[in-house]
Amino acid sequence: MSATPQKKRASRRVLAAAAGLATVGALVAAMPAGAHDRGHGHGHGHGHGHKPRTVDVQLLSFNDLHGNLEPPAGSAGAVYKKHADGRVEEIAAGGVAHLANSLRKARKGSPYSVTAAAGDLVGASPLLSGLFHDEPTIEALNKLKLDVSAVGNHEFDEGAKELARLQNGGCHPVDGCYEKGKKFKGADFPYLAANVTKEKTGKPLLKPYTIWKKNGVKVGFIGVTLEGTPDIVTAEGVKGLKFHDEIKTINKYAKELDRKGVKSIVALIHEGGAPASTSYNYDCDSPGAGDGISGPIVDIAKGITPKVDALVTGHTHQAYVCTVPDPAGKPRMVTSASSFGKLYTDTTLTYDLRTHDIVRTSVKSANHIVTRDGSGADDMNRLIKRWNKLAAPIANAPQGYISADINGRGSTAPEKPLGNVIADAQLEGLAPADKGGAQVAFMNPGGIRADLVYKASGSEGDGVVTYGEAFTVQPFTNMMNVVDLTGAQLVTALQQQVSGANEAAPKILQVSKGLTYTLDLTKSGAARVVTDSIKLNGEAIDPARTYRVAMNEFLAGGGDGFPALGQGTNKLVGASDLELFNAYLAAHSSATAPLAPPATDRITVIQ
C-alpha cells in the first residue's frame, strides 16, 4: 500500500532505541548457472539436427520485500488461496530463507533464468533490517542472486546518498560499520531508476536500464518508480531529485534499447493495481462483471510501447497475473507478487533466436506461494542469526503487554484498532502544555506497517510486546509535530481522505479518542465526509477556532495527499512516534493487566 516514507536518520534510530530500552529498563557476477543450450524449448525446434528457433527464458520476480527477512507475523504473513469449491484457505508464507529455497528450486532445469524485482525491497523494514539501515536485506538479496531491481518509493526514505551507498557499498556515514573487520559491499545487482533525474544536471540518478545476456540471448530491463514518489516520501528523502512520467520514460528507453538491437524488453515498475479478488490464484482475465484489475497500472500498461514484452509491477502489495492490452490492442502480461516475500512470479518468455524478440503469444506466467516448509535455506538462516545477535540487546526488551492481536496493517476497515492505539499514544504524549498542548492526533494508515500479534515471536512469551515488534509497527522513527490548524482546515483535511489525490484510493486517517464523524461511502469525493457530524469531545468543530493537532512530520509536511495538514503554524517538534508508542504501552499495560484491543467506534461508516 502506499507507504509512508520517512527519514530514518541514524541518530534518531539510536535515540529511539535507547528510549525504548529506558522505558523498560551491476548484475550478479556469476550469471544464472545452467547447461549449454541443448535446444530445449518444449517443442520449439524444427526436428533432429536443427538448431531450435526459440528458447525459453525464465523470469522470476518479486516486489515489496520491505526488509522482511524473517517470516512476517500474523496477518502480514498470510496468503489467500481460493479453491474450486469456493473455499478460501489462509496459508502462512514468506521468510527470506524460504524464498531462497523457492527460487533456487524454480531455477533448476532452466538454463536461461533471470531474477528481477519491482522495488521497495528495503525501507519500512522490521528491526532486524531497519536497525542496520537495511544492510542485512541487501546482503540477503545478493545471496538470492537477484539480477536487477527497479527502485521503489521506499528506496528514497533516507535520501539519494543512502540509496547510492546501498548500491555501491561503504559503511554508514554516522553509524559506521556494524561488524568488526567487515565493510558493507553494497548490492551486486543494479538498481534501476530511469525516471529519476538530478535537478541540477538533468542526468539520471542511477542506471535507467540494464541488458541481461546469456549465450547470445539478450533481454533489456527498464526500471521506474511511481511518478508520485515525492508525494509519499519526506521532502528530505527526495531533495534535489525530479521524478518523471512512467510511460514517457519507459517508451524513451525502450526505443534506445531497440536501436541497440535489444528487441526483448521487460519493464520493472514500482506502481500497481488492485485485482477484484485478494486470492493469489485469482484468474485476473476472467470475463465476469467487476472482474479484472483496476488502479494506476492499467492506464500505464495501456500507454507503454508494444516494444516492451512484459511488465513486472509492485507498490500496492497485491497478487495478480493479468493481461492488459498494449497501445496496439494486443494482450501483454502484467504481474505482481504481493509483498514481504510471500509469493514469487514465474514467467516464461519464449525468445526467438532469429528476431531476438519475445513471442508474446507464448508468454505464460503464474504466482507461486513461498511456503514455510522445513527450516529454509541454511545460508539465509545463518545470515538472520548473525544479525539477530547484533540486534538482540535492543530488539528483545519488553515494552508492554496485550491480551489479543491488535490489528493494524492486517485490518481492512477504515478505522483500525491499532490505529486508535497509535493515535491515542500520540495525543497522550503531546497533550501536556509543555509538550505541545495537543487536542487531537492524526495517524496516516500507510505508516502502520504491521499488527501487534499476541503469539510470541521469540522467547519473550505470549502477549509481550518487544521493542523489535513495536519497531516493526512504527519503523520510520518519525519525529512528532504539534501545530495550529483552524477548524476549517481540519474539516478540509478529513475531506482530503476521500477526494483529490485520494479519491480513487481513499486514505482514512486514524484519529485519537474524542474525534468522531460519519463517513458515507455511498457518496463520492469530499461529500463522503458528513461535515456536520464532525465533533471533538462531543462538540461540533468550529471552522473559525484554532486547534492544536499532533501528527508525524510526514503528515505535517502535507504528505499522502493532505495539503491541508501542511498548513499548520506554531509548530512544536516532539518525541518520535515510536517513543510515544512505547511509552503508551508501558503506561497502559502490565503482565497482570494487558492492553485489550480498543473499540473501533470513532468513525461511523455508511456503506
Side-chain angles (χ1 to χ4, degrees):
M1 310 282 163
S2 163
T4 40
Q6 331 192 358
K7 296 178 269 189
K8 294 185 287 183
R9 289 182 178 163
S11 56
R12 257 188 221 183
R13 180 173 284 103
V14 171
L15 286 171
L21 287 171
T23 303
V24 183
L27 291 179
V28 178
M31 282 293 187
H36 294 293
D37 178 12
R38 299 193 188 94
H40 93 304
H42 310 293
H44 299 308
H46 294 286
H48 296 292
H50 292 278
K51 186 177 180 182
R53 171 74 183 259
T54 62
V55 294
D56 285 346
V57 175
Q58 178 191 56
L59 171 61
L60 301 176
S61 58
F62 58 94
N63 51 277
D64 296 274
L65 180 64
H66 290 288
N68 278 262
L69 301 181
E70 295 178 295
S75 62
V79 168
Y80 299 94
K81 179 179 182 178
K82 190 169 185 179
H83 292 270
D85 60 3
R87 179 175 57 91
V88 176
E89 179 186 3
E90 182 177 313
I91 302 168
V96 78
H98 300 294
L99 178 61
N101 271 356
S102 295
L103 294 178
R104 290 165 184 172
K105 185 177 178 182
R107 289 175 188 140
K108 287 180 180 175
S110 295
Y112 297 89
S113 183
V114 57
T115 304
D120 275 11
L121 302 181
V122 300
S125 305
L127 188 79
L128 174 61
S129 187
L131 188 64
F132 306 107
H133 299 278
D134 281 311
E135 289 182 21
T137 295
I138 297 297
E139 184 185 341
L141 293 169
N142 289 343
K143 287 180 182 293
L144 277 181
K145 300 246 182 283
L146 180 64
D147 290 303
V148 58
S149 180
V151 294
N153 52 287
H154 276 284
E155 267 77 17
F156 294 92
D157 280 352
E158 295 189 54
K161 284 185 179 178
E162 175 63 4
L163 175 55
R165 188 182 76 87
L166 291 180
Q167 178 71 86
N168 302 318
C171 296
H172 192 272
V174 176
D175 288 356
C177 299
Y178 295 110
E179 295 177 289
K180 192 175 181 180
K182 283 189 180 181
K183 183 181 176 184
F184 175 59
K185 68 173 196 159
D188 290 342
F189 56 92
Y191 260 125
L192 305 181
N195 66 332
V196 187
T197 58
K198 300 174 185 176
E199 280 182 350
K200 285 185 179 177
T201 64
K203 292 181 178 178
L205 175 70
L206 296 169
K207 288 175 65 171
Y209 61 80
T210 192
I211 303 168
W212 180 85
K213 300 174 183 177
K214 180 82 183 283
N215 295 346
V217 172
K218 293 189 290 187
V219 181
F221 288 89
I222 304 167
V224 299
T225 185
L226 70 157
E227 185 183 6
T229 290
D231 300 328
I232 53 175
V233 175
T234 52
E236 192 68 23
V238 294
K239 192 175 181 181
L241 303 176
K242 288 190 76 171
F243 293 76
H244 303 274
D245 180 85
E246 304 95 337
I247 298 172
K248 289 178 183 176
T249 301
I250 292 169
N251 289 351
K252 170 187 170 182
Y253 287 112
K255 196 173 180 180
E256 189 171 312
L257 282 165
D258 187 56
R259 283 200 305 268
K260 289 185 174 184
V262 179
K263 307 296 182 184
S264 300
I265 303 172
V266 175
L268 308 174
I269 307 173
H270 191 70
E271 179 60 290
S277 168
T278 56
S279 297
Y280 91 96
N281 59 335
Y282 166 64
D283 180 3
C284 206
D285 293 335
S286 55
D291 280 344
I293 184 173
S294 59
I297 199 60
V298 177
D299 287 337
I300 291 172
K302 287 178 178 177
I304 289 174
T305 172
K307 293 181 192 297
V308 174
D309 299 296
L311 313 182
V312 175
T313 73
H315 187 56
T316 55
H317 291 202
Q318 302 296 305
Y320 48 84
V321 172
C322 308
T323 56
V324 177
D326 68 15
K330 294 179 180 176
R332 177 169 52 194
M333 195 65 75
V334 180
T335 68
S336 175
S338 185
S339 63
F340 302 167
K342 294 181 290 188
L343 297 176
Y344 71 93
T345 311
D346 189 338
T347 302
T348 301
L349 302 172
T350 300
Y351 185 94
D352 190 311
L353 293 167
R354 291 187 195 174
T355 65
H356 307 293
D357 205 352
I358 299 300
V359 182
R360 277 244 238 117
T361 52
S362 298
V363 174
K364 296 181 181 65
S365 190
N367 275 327
H368 300 276
I369 300 177
V370 176
T371 56
R372 299 181 189 175
D373 298 335
S375 58
D378 289 341
D379 58 339
M380 292 300 183
N381 286 325
R382 286 194 298 271
L383 179 152
I384 289 167
K385 186 177 180 181
R386 202 178 87 236
W387 287 102
N388 262 331
K389 189 175 179 181
L390 286 174
I394 292 170
N396 297 337
Q399 302 298 301
Y401 304 83
I402 55 174
S403 63
D405 288 359
I406 304 180
N407 285 342
R409 195 74 177 182
S411 170
T412 56
E415 181 183 349
K416 307 173 192 307
L418 190 50
N420 287 358
V421 172
I422 292 169
D424 287 353
Q426 294 175 354
L427 176 62
E428 183 170 296
L430 300 172
D434 63 336
K435 302 292 185 185
Q439 297 164 278
V440 64
F442 291 137
M443 175 63 194
N444 52 314
I448 306 169
R449 305 304 301 185
D451 303 331
L452 280 185
V453 179
Y454 178 78
K455 184 176 171 58
S457 59
S459 59
E460 75 275 12
D462 291 348
V464 179
V465 179
T466 65
Y467 185 88
E469 290 165 342
F471 184 98
T472 300
V473 169
Q474 296 254 267
F476 298 110
T477 320
N478 262 315
M479 303 313 289
M480 292 300 300
N481 290 180
V482 185
V483 300
D484 283 351
L485 287 172
T486 65
Q489 288 169 326
L490 275 183
V491 171
T492 300
L494 292 175
Q495 291 172 329
Q496 286 169 350
Q497 299 175 113
V498 288
S499 64
N502 295 326
E503 182 159 5
K507 291 190 179 79
I508 306 304
L509 295 166
Q510 306 301 286
V511 300
S512 56
K513 61 184 176 184
L515 186 72
T516 56
Y517 70 96
T518 297
L519 191 63
D520 188 347
L521 297 180
T522 65
K523 295 181 178 173
S524 60
R528 290 169 174 166
V529 175
V530 181
T531 52
D532 60 7
S533 71
I534 305 171
K535 294 180 179 178
L536 182 59
N537 299 322
E539 291 184 11
I541 292 287
D542 180 351
R545 185 179 162 190
T546 296
Y547 297 87
R548 291 292 282 167
V549 183
M551 60 192 125
N552 61 46
E553 61 190 332
F554 171 62
L555 279 180
D560 257 358
F562 290 99
L565 295 180
Q567 297 169 358
T569 58
N570 296 326
K571 180 170 74 173
L572 183 143
V573 178
S576 75
D577 50 8
L578 181 60
E579 191 177 336
L580 294 181
F581 184 48
N582 284 333
Y584 186 85
L585 290 171
H588 292 271
S589 69
S590 66
T592 54
L595 182 69
T600 49
D601 54 5
R602 299 169 191 182
I603 305 171
T604 301
V605 181
I606 300 173
Q607 307 245 25

